[in-house]
């Protein structure tokens, strides 16, 4: 089992910690809609009102155990939406259903195996700030 430093972000799958995150990028976005109306003189108005919030996560790190590696690999191969959370020290916890879009492993024979994953939210997400 690999130790996870207390200052690393922690990735959890279905409520169980699976990895320590050493590098991460989070992108928040909304799908915008455009429309033109009679009073706009041909200009289109762009709006995000009512558009769902989408969170993209690109992260790499170390799995905390072989069982954690298997759980994440299984989630990727199943192709479904699972409940994930990302706890970032000094910031808070992002949580909700996500779909894994990419999963890769790397390492040399004499070093620890690292991973990189990319996932996109697939439903409502929450953010709980660190207090």
């Amino acid at each position: 089992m690999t130790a996870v430093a207390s200052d690393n972000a922690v990735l959890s799958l279905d409520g169980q910690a699976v990895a320590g995150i050493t590098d991460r990028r989070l992108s928040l976005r909304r799908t915008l809609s455009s429309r033109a109306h009679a009073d706009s003189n041909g200009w289109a108005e762009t709006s995000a009102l009512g558009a769902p919030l989408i969170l993209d996560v690109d992260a790499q790190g170390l799995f905390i155990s072989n069982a954690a590696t298997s759980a994440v690999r299984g989630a990727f191969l199943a192709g479904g939406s699972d409940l994930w959370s990302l706890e970032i020290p000094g910031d808070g916890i992002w949580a909700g259903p996500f779909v894994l879009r990419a999963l890769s492993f790397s390492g040399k024979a004499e070093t620890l195996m690292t991973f990189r994953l990319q996932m996109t939210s697939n439903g409502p997400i929450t953010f709980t700030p660190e207090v």
Side-chain angles (χ1 to χ4, degrees), residues 7-127:
D7 58 343
N8 282 351
V10 175
L11 182 68
S12 296
L13 170 60
D14 293 329
Q16 297 294 314
V18 291
I21 302 299
T22 56
D23 190 26
R24 65 196 177 269
R25 182 182 60 80
L26 283 71
S27 299
L28 292 165
R29 60 188 168 93
R30 292 189 187 275
T31 303
L32 300 178
S33 61
S34 295
R35 66 175 185 210
H37 55 80
D39 297 333
S40 68
N41 292 325
W43 289 95
E45 290 183 357
T46 302
S47 174
L49 292 175
L53 179 66
I54 300 167
L55 175 60
D56 293 313
V57 177
D58 185 345
Q60 66 182 55
L62 298 167
F63 290 115
I64 62 172
S65 67
N66 289 338
T69 305
S70 294
V72 174
R73 185 186 309 111
F76 178 76
L77 293 174
S81 181
D82 297 289
L83 294 178
W84 294 84
S85 65
L86 180 61
E87 182 176 356
I88 303 171
D91 186 31
I93 301 171
W94 293 95
F98 286 84
V99 173
L100 282 176
R101 294 183 295 117
L103 177 63
S104 60
F105 302 91
S106 62
K108 297 182 179 178
E110 66 276 2
T111 63
L112 293 172
M113 180 69 71
T114 61
F115 74 91
R116 182 177 185 142
L117 61 77
Q118 295 174 334
M119 59 186 186
T120 298
S121 62
N122 189 32
I125 57 170
T126 61
F127 176 71

